Amino acid sequence: MNKSKTILTIEDDPIIRQALVNFLLDLDFQVLEASDGEQGLEIIRQQLPDLVMTDLRLPKVDGLQILAIMREEYPDTPVIIVSGMGTIEDVIKALKFGAWDYLTKPITDMALVKHGIDKALEKAALLRENRHYQQHLEHEVQRRTAELHQAQKLEAVGTLAGGIAHDFNNILSAVMGFTDLALLKAADLPEIKYDLEQVKQASIRARDLVAQILTFSRKTEVDRQPVIVYSLVKETLKLLRASIPSTAEIQQDIDETPARILISPVEVHQLLMNLCTNASQALPDEIGIIQVSLKPVIVDQALADHLPDLKTGKYLLLKVSDNGLGMDQKTLQCVFEPFFTTKPTGKGTGLGLSVVHGIVGECGAAIAVKSEPGQGTEFSIYFPQVDVTVQAEEEVATQLPGGDERILFVDDEPSVMKLGERMLTYLGYQVTLCSSGVQALSLIEENPAAYDLIVTDQTMPQLTGFELCKKVKMLRPDLPVILCTGHSSVINKEKALAGGASVFLMKPLAIQTLATEIRRLLNPQKKAS
């Protein structure tokens, strides 16, 4: 056990020194010896033993000087004084200078020496362990504090994103809603209809970008559907071109096979934006090539055995590679860990690739990464193909379900309120407009039977749509309520329905969706009457 421990004995009396050396060797220690203080200090600085035993009265450098130097330069190394000439004052001074023990010569019981050594080594080990644990705790506190600060930054971004999303979705509601109304009137005007359809498609892309912001800020749930992704990949790369330096060339090889995978468009954007941004930052001086490819592949048993998350079958393979700096094996092992980054402070969050890894896992896909220092990096994502048929983005129908019932439309945004009036009037309904939840509640309290259905926004001052819904249900439980929101951190579909809402819709509202939901809610009432 003691073979790994080294003890230095500094003693000018050769007989006493040899006796100590023999005793220590018998205890299985490795032993160093010095005949004066100067030689002893030289050995300490060259080999640093685990413990030093020194006399007080020594040639050249005495024991007290050795103690002072040890306390200054090697405070964790125990020093035991073994002296036969010291006074009580010397003992006190030695202990003040940092001696761990004091033994008086002549030593008649060598068990005292062994006890002093064992006690000193045990104490030194405990101090080292305690210091190591303290350093570990300090490191953990620093790391956790940094993570907390990063999380607070992301929370602030999320709060800002939510506010922007709410306002922007109100704007989009007006753009998309009035475009839908114009499309209905332009059925026989092909050129105008084409132009309006381009406005509609651009609005849909804007809506999806808002959804992407909300997903990044963790303020919305992800709705995964079987989608054909090649067009999404191309669209995302167009968006990325503006944010990636022009010195980084993006090369595309996108197979347009209409294979479908289970993913949301927002997640496709996130994957490519994070991977391509990471690739551009890995390029020396942001000069180089980023390659993006998408193609269908068949995964055989050999490849499935190589990647544990893969099973045999049909996949879509998305690859993003660069000819940048590359990574060593140690970095590769940490590359998907949250908050891990090799970038300087302020240049990265350490979340991009962990977000990628999370999306890949939630989509039932598998990811592989290859990299060598100086040889660039390649990410390969295998998405299992889904054999289902999906409908494209619904077009505005020329024949929309309508009626003549009385609808109360509530929204504090003037453009959305005007849009609601135009949409519902077009569908044949009798419309009453309210700019606040308080005003709407007052109308219901005056005459609960005056309306057949309510369409209300969620985020309004004084009285939210959710609270309005609950109060209305107390006055008239059978009155259907459609609750709409562009974004809310306090309401979701489950909570809305549990609170009494009949339908929960996300803005921007499409006239087809609104018309269909209104008729679905009102038709049963007509049958009942």
Side-chain angles (χ1 to χ4, degrees), residues 66-127:
I66 293 173
L67 274 172
I69 293 171
M70 291 293 293
R71 185 173 63 177
E72 179 69 26
E73 298 182 16
Y74 311 102
D76 292 340
T77 301
V79 179
I80 296 176
I81 299 297
V82 183
S83 179
M85 299 177 64
T87 64
I88 188 65
E89 288 78 9
D90 289 330
V91 175
I92 295 172
K93 189 178 292 187
L95 293 174
K96 283 185 176 180
F97 270 59
W100 290 44
D101 205 345
Y102 194 104
L103 301 176
T104 304
K105 294 186 288 186
I107 300 172
T108 56
D109 185 358
M110 295 302 286
L112 293 174
V113 178
K114 183 179 184 303
H115 176 73
I117 291 172
D118 290 343
K119 186 173 66 174
L121 289 175
E122 181 181 359
K123 180 181 176 183
L126 288 173
L127 286 174

Side-chain angles (χ1 to χ4, degrees), residues 225-287:
Q225 300 289 337
V227 294
I228 299 173
V229 294
Y230 72 82
S231 59
L232 293 172
V233 172
K234 288 185 172 181
E235 177 187 335
T236 304
L237 292 177
K238 287 181 182 177
L239 293 172
L240 275 170
R241 184 64 277 178
S243 60
I244 289 178
S246 58
T247 50
E249 179 185 353
I250 300 178
Q251 297 180 353
Q252 303 180 38
D253 182 14
I254 310 301
D255 190 302
E256 297 188 0
T257 301
R260 296 180 176 89
I261 63 175
L262 192 63
I263 197 171
S264 74
V266 171
E267 289 175 320
V268 176
H269 284 276
Q270 281 189 293
L271 285 173
L272 282 169
M273 290 183 72
N274 280 312
L275 289 174
C276 291
T277 300
N278 194 73
S280 71
Q281 292 172 344
L283 299 175
D285 299 321
E286 297 181 327
I287 301 173

Side-chain angles (χ1 to χ4, degrees), residues 477-490:
D478 66 327
L479 182 60
V481 178
I482 296 177
L483 183 61
C484 311
T485 184
H487 162 74
S488 175
S489 59
V490 298

Side-chain angles (χ1 to χ4, degrees), residues 24 44 64 79 94 102 114 121 141 229 236 248 306 339 372 436 462 465 469 474 488 525:
L24 295 172
I44 289 169
L64 290 178
V79 179
Y102 194 104
K114 183 179 184 303
L121 289 175
V141 168
V229 294
T236 304
H306 181 66
F339 299 104
E372 293 287 342
S436 72
Q462 296 181 292
C469 177
M474 294 174 64
S488 175
Q525 295 184 2

Side-chain angles (χ1 to χ4, degrees), residues 437 456-460 463-470 481 483:
T456 178
D457 185 28
Q458 158 61 16
T459 306
M460 297 181 292
L463 189 66
T464 67
F466 181 67
E467 293 298 325
L468 172 63
C469 177
K470 290 197 296 183
V481 178
L483 183 61

Side-chain angles (χ1 to χ4, degrees), residues 2-226:
N2 294 329
K3 276 285 187 185
S4 61
K5 300 296 183 182
T6 302
I7 296 179
L8 168 64
T9 177
I10 309 174
E11 174 61 61
D12 59 337
D13 186 320
I15 297 175
I16 297 175
R17 184 173 69 249
Q18 191 59 51
L20 283 172
V21 168
N22 292 338
F23 176 73
L24 295 172
L25 289 173
D26 288 340
L27 293 176
D28 220 15
F29 288 107
Q30 297 183 47
V31 183
L32 303 171
E33 53 182 300
S35 58
D36 60 62
E38 186 176 84
Q39 184 185 19
L41 284 175
E42 184 178 347
I43 293 173
I44 289 169
R45 287 173 173 146
Q46 289 179 353
Q47 302 185 48
L48 190 58
D50 297 292
L51 184 143
V52 176
M53 299 182 69
T54 180
D55 194 1
L56 272 183
R57 305 288 188 261
L58 291 170
K60 300 183 181 178
V61 178
D62 66 26
L64 290 178
Q65 290 176 290
I66 293 173
L67 274 172
I69 293 171
M70 291 293 293
R71 185 173 63 177
E72 179 69 26
E73 298 182 16
Y74 311 102
D76 292 340
T77 301
V79 179
I80 296 176
I81 299 297
V82 183
S83 179
M85 299 177 64
T87 64
I88 188 65
E89 288 78 9
D90 289 330
V91 175
I92 295 172
K93 189 178 292 187
L95 293 174
K96 283 185 176 180
F97 270 59
W100 290 44
D101 205 345
Y102 194 104
L103 301 176
T104 304
K105 294 186 288 186
I107 300 172
T108 56
D109 185 358
M110 295 302 286
L112 293 174
V113 178
K114 183 179 184 303
H115 176 73
I117 291 172
D118 290 343
K119 186 173 66 174
L121 289 175
E122 181 181 359
K123 180 181 176 183
L126 288 173
L127 286 174
R128 283 195 298 270
E129 183 179 349
N130 183 64
R131 182 170 285 106
H132 173 75
Y133 186 61
Q134 184 178 356
Q135 291 172 345
H136 173 72
L137 286 178
E138 290 173 353
H139 173 73
E140 280 297 301
V141 168
Q142 291 173 354
R143 185 175 70 84
R144 295 289 185 180
T145 301
E147 289 180 5
L148 177 60
H149 289 164
Q150 186 63 43
Q152 289 172 335
K153 290 179 184 177
L154 291 175
E155 184 179 358
V157 170
T159 302
L160 177 63
I164 292 173
H166 176 266
D167 292 342
F168 194 62
N169 273 330
N170 276 334
I171 297 170
L172 278 179
S173 291
V175 173
M176 294 181 70
F178 284 113
T179 301
D180 282 343
L181 289 171
L183 279 168
L184 291 168
K185 298 175 182 177
D188 299 327
L189 302 169
E191 289 187 6
I192 295 177
K193 182 180 179 182
Y194 175 81
D195 291 344
L196 290 171
E197 285 172 345
Q198 300 311 302
V199 175
K200 179 73 178 290
Q201 289 302 314
S203 300
I204 290 170
R205 287 197 295 272
R207 177 199 64 192
D208 292 342
L209 283 175
V210 173
Q212 182 176 356
I213 293 172
L214 291 175
T215 299
F216 166 75
S217 63
R218 295 177 175 86
K219 296 290 184 181
T220 186
E221 296 179 359
V222 177
D223 181 22
R224 297 184 183 89
Q225 300 289 337

Side-chain angles (χ1 to χ4, degrees), residues 259-484:
R260 296 180 176 89
I261 63 175
L262 192 63
I263 197 171
S264 74
V266 171
E267 289 175 320
V268 176
H269 284 276
Q270 281 189 293
L271 285 173
L272 282 169
M273 290 183 72
N274 280 312
L275 289 174
C276 291
T277 300
N278 194 73
S280 71
Q281 292 172 344
L283 299 175
D285 299 321
E286 297 181 327
I287 301 173
I289 298 173
I290 301 170
Q291 295 179 316
V292 180
S293 66
L294 180 72
K295 64 179 180 180
V297 295
I298 303 294
V299 172
D300 57 19
Q301 191 60 52
L303 182 55
D305 291 341
H306 181 66
L307 285 175
D309 295 330
L310 277 182
K311 298 178 181 178
T312 58
K314 296 180 180 179
Y315 286 79
L316 268 184
L317 174 59
L318 174 66
K319 281 189 178 182
V320 177
S321 60
D322 63 75
N323 62 346
L325 299 173
M327 296 177 282
D328 56 27
Q329 290 302 309
K330 183 178 179 182
T331 304
L332 273 178
Q333 292 174 0
C334 306
V335 75
F336 294 119
E337 293 181 5
F339 299 104
F340 175 80
T341 179
T342 58
K343 303 179 183 70
T345 302
K347 293 295 185 180
T349 64
L351 288 173
L353 292 179
S354 67
V355 169
V356 168
H357 191 263
I359 292 173
V360 168
E362 290 170 5
C363 292
I367 187 168
V369 54
K370 295 191 299 184
S371 188
E372 293 287 342
Q375 300 299 314
T377 303
E378 178 183 270
F379 288 90
S380 301
I381 304 177
Y382 294 82
F383 294 99
Q385 294 187 31
V386 181
D387 295 325
V388 294
T389 303
V390 294
Q391 295 180 346
E393 182 81 31
E394 62 183 24
E395 297 179 358
V396 179
T398 55
Q399 295 296 324
L400 294 171
D404 58 1
E405 289 88 349
R406 300 157 301 173
I407 295 179
L408 180 62
F409 190 90
V410 190
D411 201 298
D412 63 332
E413 181 67 34
S415 61
V416 177
M417 194 161 54
K418 186 63 177 177
L419 172 65
E421 181 183 35
R422 290 283 299 276
M423 279 184 170
L424 295 174
T425 301
Y426 178 87
L427 295 171
Y429 296 108
Q430 303 172 56
V431 186
T432 301
L433 298 178
C434 284
S435 59
S436 72
V438 173
Q439 181 187 6
L441 181 61
S442 177
L443 291 177
I444 296 294
E445 287 173 337
E446 288 176 10
N447 186 0
Y451 305 100
D452 300 300
L453 182 140
I454 298 176
V455 180
T456 178
D457 185 28
Q458 158 61 16
T459 306
M460 297 181 292
Q462 296 181 292
L463 189 66
T464 67
F466 181 67
E467 293 298 325
L468 172 63
C469 177
K470 290 197 296 183
K471 291 180 181 297
V472 165
K473 289 295 180 179
M474 294 174 64
L475 296 169
R476 188 179 156 193
D478 66 327
L479 182 60
V481 178
I482 296 177
L483 183 61
C484 311

